[in-house]
Amino acid sequence: MKKAFVSFALMLMTLGVSAKDIKTLVVTTEPQMHCASCENKIKGNLRFEKGVKGIDCNIPDQRVTITYDADKNKPENLIKAFEKFGYKATQVKKDEKKEEKKQDDKTKKTDK
């Protein structure tokens, strides 16, 4: 019983040490995405970049959200990767996201 407890404790410590630094990057693209083909082109090319864990394209909001392992890649490299397939990416700052959310909320209230 004591061996099992020690083994379990060591396993938990190992998991804690090897925890990955997962971050999220939100960008807009130029030219703008307008169809599923644009979305597939972005997803198909970005998935081969180091550390990329997930890619979510939102065509109506013109946003690409990239989840990546910060130990394996940097935001600058991911933004530069868009140039390989004919796009220019610009990072969306947190303040811009909040401002757009406020605008959306105001629009929803006036529509009612």
Side-chain angles (χ1 to χ4, degrees):
M1 183 70 177
K2 201 172 190 182
K3 282 185 179 181
F5 179 73
V6 171
S7 295
F8 183 71
L10 287 173
M11 185 180 69
L12 286 177
M13 288 181 359
T14 304
L15 288 175
V17 171
S18 67
K20 295 182 179 181
D21 187 14
I22 304 297
K23 296 205 176 182
T24 302
L25 172 68
V26 180
V27 298
T28 59
T29 62
E30 189 66 38
Q32 292 185 339
M33 299 178 290
H34 61 276
C35 63
S37 179
C38 299
E39 179 180 358
N40 291 334
K41 184 176 185 178
I42 290 169
K43 286 181 175 181
N45 285 283
L46 283 181
R47 68 186 177 129
F48 293 109
E49 293 298 317
K50 289 182 182 177
V52 172
K53 301 295 180 193
I55 305 159
D56 181 46
C57 296
N58 188 324
I59 295 172
D61 291 341
Q62 294 297 309
R63 300 272 193 257
V64 179
T65 304
I66 306 163
T67 307
Y68 67 99
D69 184 347
D71 294 332
K72 295 183 179 179
N73 215 331
K74 297 182 221 172
E76 301 84 32
N77 294 342
L78 294 170
I79 289 171
K80 192 168 180 137
F82 278 83
E83 295 173 10
K84 295 177 186 175
F85 50 94
Y87 281 83
K88 179 183 177 197
T90 306
Q91 185 173 3
V92 177
K93 303 293 182 192
K94 290 180 182 179
D95 295 339
E96 291 177 38
K97 288 187 235 176
K98 289 178 185 176
E99 188 63 35
E100 286 185 10
K101 178 140 174 73
K102 287 180 187 176
Q103 291 295 332
D104 289 344
D105 291 344
K106 285 180 185 177
T107 304
K108 288 177 185 175
K109 287 180 183 176
T110 58
D111 288 346
K112 290 182 181 180

